[in-house]
Amino acid sequence: MKLMKKSEIIALIAENTELSKADVERVYNATFDLFKDELAKGNKISVSGFGTFDISERAEREGRNPQTGETIKIAASKSVKFKAGKELKEKVNG
């Protein structure tokens, strides 16, 4: 499995679209800034053929410190969840 870095993604998109790396980087940054802003507002993002990004809320709960066994409160938090779309699932599964 390979971890693709931002610079590698930008280079591949530039190569496949014949756009400059600078233009691709501006679009890349604008896209992911938009995703972050909309998710921070609590909005769901659906990318047709790819999948859906949504916010999952976790309630405050009790946990245990694994070193001491002491009961601790774990604060409520939000996280981003992703659900793959049909086309992406089909592509990944061959």
Side-chain angles (χ1 to χ4, degrees):
M1 178 176 18
K2 179 182 177 188
L3 171 65
M4 289 189 68
K5 297 180 181 178
K6 176 182 175 180
S7 60
E8 294 172 316
I9 295 169
I10 289 170
L12 285 170
I13 294 171
E15 185 180 309
N16 290 329
T17 62
E18 298 181 8
L19 295 171
S20 72
K21 286 183 183 179
D23 287 341
V24 171
E25 184 170 12
R26 280 194 294 277
V27 172
Y28 178 99
N29 289 336
T31 301
F32 287 100
D33 286 345
L34 173 70
F35 278 27
K36 289 184 271 187
D37 292 345
E38 291 303 311
L39 289 166
K41 293 176 192 174
N43 295 330
K44 182 188 271 191
I45 299 172
S46 179
V47 181
S48 182
F50 187 71
T52 303
F53 297 87
D54 200 2
I55 297 296
S56 174
E57 295 190 31
R58 296 181 183 150
E60 183 179 281
R61 61 197 189 278
E62 282 190 0
R64 293 211 182 270
N65 179 328
Q67 293 178 337
T68 64
E70 176 185 0
T71 300
I72 58 172
K73 281 189 180 179
I74 300 171
S77 65
K78 296 179 183 178
S79 66
V80 177
K81 63 181 180 178
F82 174 74
K83 182 177 179 189
K86 180 181 176 187
E87 288 179 43
L88 178 57
K89 287 180 189 176
E90 289 173 356
K91 181 81 171 185
V92 169
N93 289 307

